[in-house]
C-alpha cells in the first residue's frame, strides 16, 4: 500500500487511471460534500440528528412514517439546490470517453445523473432520494406534490392504489434491490481498476466490492480524507479531498 497526500498522489493516480482500460468506481457521500450535501458520519452532519428509521418500524406505524417524511423533507432542505461536483463531472467525462464502465454509488442525491452519467453506467445501491414510489404498485410520486400535501395534513402519503408511498431509497433493514446488487458485483468483477471515492467503506454490501475487485485481479485505489478499513488492501491510497484528486478529469477545474 502506498499512501499519498492529494498533491503528491496526483501523478500516481493519473498513472493508474490512464493505464487502465476498464474502470469501475464506487462513490460515497464524500463526493457530494463539496456540493453542499452533508455526509453521514462527519461530526457536524445533520444526519446525526436523525438516526435511521428501520424499515420494519416504518412499515408498522403511520406515526413513524409521518416522522420519516418530516425528517426527509428537513434533510432535503439542507441539500437544496446542490449541483454536481468535480468527482461527478470527472466520472461522467471518463464514462463518455469509454474509460469508466460503471459507477456504483451509495449516494441517493441524484448528482451522478445530473452530471450526465448515463443510467446504464450507474448503479444506485441505496436507491434515489429525489423521488418516491408506491411500495405496492410501483407508481412514481414527485416530492414537491407529496410535500405540499404533507404540509397540509401532516400524514404520510398513500398511493391511489392504497399502497404506502416511500422515498425511493433503501431504508435501514430494507433489502438492496437484487438487480442493483447483481450489477454492482458484475462491475467489481469485470474491471482492471477499482476506484473508491469518498466512502467510509463501513456500509455493506458496498464495502465488500473493493475486495471482490482485488480478488478478480483489479488494482484498487482509495481516495478519502480519512482512513478506511480497506486501506491496507489498496495499491494506492490518496488521503485528502476527493474533488481535488479528480479535478484533472473534469471539464472545469
Ligand atoms: P459516510 O458519511 O459514512 O462516509 C463518507 C466518507 O467520505 C467519510 O469517510 C468522510 O471522511 C469522507 N469525505 C467527506 N467529504 C470528503 C471529501 N471532500 N473528500 C474526501 N473524503 C471526504 O458515507 P458513505 O460511506 O457514503 O455511506 C453512508 C450512507 O449514508 C450511505 O448508505 C448513503 O446512502 C447515505 N448517505 C448518502 C448521502 C448522499 O446521497 N450524498 C449523504 C449522506 C448519507
Amino acid at each position: 500500500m502506498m499512501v499519498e497526500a492529494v498533491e503528491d498522489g496526483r501523478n500516481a493516480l493519473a498513472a493508474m487511471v490512464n493505464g487502465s482500460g476498464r474502470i469501475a468506481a464506487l462513490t460515497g457521500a464524500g463526493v457530494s460534500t463539496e456540493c453542499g450535501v452533508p455526509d453521514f458520519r462527519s461530526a457536524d452532519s445533520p444526519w446525526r440528528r436523525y438516526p435511521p428509521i428501520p424499515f420494519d418500524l416504518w412499515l408498522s406505524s403511520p406515526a413513524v412514517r409521518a416522522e420519516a417524511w418530516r425528517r426527509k423533507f428537513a434533510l432535503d432542505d439542507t441539500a437544496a439546490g446542490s449541483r454536481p461536483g468535480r468527482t461527478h463531472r470527472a466520472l461522467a467525462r471518463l464514462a463518455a470517453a469509454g474509460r469508466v464502465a460503471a459507477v456504483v454509488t451509495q449516494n441517493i442525491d441524484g448528482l451522478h445523473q445530473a452530471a450526465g452519467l448515463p443510467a446504464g453506467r450507474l448503479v444506485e445501491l441505496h436507491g434515489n432520494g429525489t423521488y418516491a414510489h408506491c411500495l405496492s404498485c410501483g407508481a412514481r410520486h414527485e416530492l414537491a406534490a407529496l410535500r405540499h400535501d404533507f404540509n397540509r395534513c401532516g400524514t404520510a402519503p398513500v398511493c391511489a392504489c392504497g399502497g404506502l408511498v416511500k422515498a425511493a431509497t433503501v431504508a435501514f433493514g430494507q433489502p438492496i434491490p437484487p438487480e442493483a446488487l447483481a450489477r454492482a458485483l458484475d462491475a467489481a468483477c469485470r474491471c482492471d481498476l477499482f476506484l473508491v471515492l469518498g466512502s467510509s467503506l463501513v456500509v455493506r454490501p458496498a464495502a465488500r466490492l473493493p475486495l471482490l475487485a482485488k480478488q478478480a485481479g483489479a488494482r484498487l485505489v482509495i481516495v478519502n480524507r480519512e482512513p478506511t478499513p480497506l486501506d491496507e488492501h489498496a495499491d494506492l491510497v490518496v488521503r485528502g479531498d476527493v474533488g481535488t484528486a479528480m479535478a484533472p478529469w473534469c471539464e472545469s477545474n
Side-chain angles (χ1 to χ4, degrees), residues 28-29 33 40-41 106 108-109 126 200 224-226 240-242:
T33 51
F40 189 69
R41 285 181 177 76
Q106 297 170 267
I108 56 172
D109 54 28
H126 296 167
S200 57
N224 207 52
R225 68 181 174 198
E226 62 185 6
D241 179 53
V242 65

Side-chain angles (χ1 to χ4, degrees), residues 27-34 37-42 45 47 86 88 105-111 125-127 170 197-203 223-228 238-244:
T27 63
V31 303
S32 296
T33 51
E34 72 174 12
V37 184
D39 67 11
F40 189 69
R41 285 181 177 76
S42 294
S45 173
W47 291 72
R86 290 170 291 179
H88 303 102
T105 190
Q106 297 170 267
N107 294 344
I108 56 172
D109 54 28
L111 290 176
L125 271 183
H126 296 167
V170 176
L197 304 170
S199 171
S200 57
L201 287 177
V202 298
V203 181
V223 185
N224 207 52
R225 68 181 174 198
E226 62 185 6
T228 82
V238 177
R239 186 75 45 76
D241 179 53
V242 65
T244 305

Side-chain angles (χ1 to χ4, degrees), residues 5 9 14 16 34 41 62 64 103 190 199 209 220 225-226 246:
M16 290 271 195
E34 72 174 12
R41 285 181 177 76
V64 169
V103 176
R190 293 201 305 126
S199 171
L209 299 174
L220 174 62
R225 68 181 174 198
E226 62 185 6
M246 295 304 289

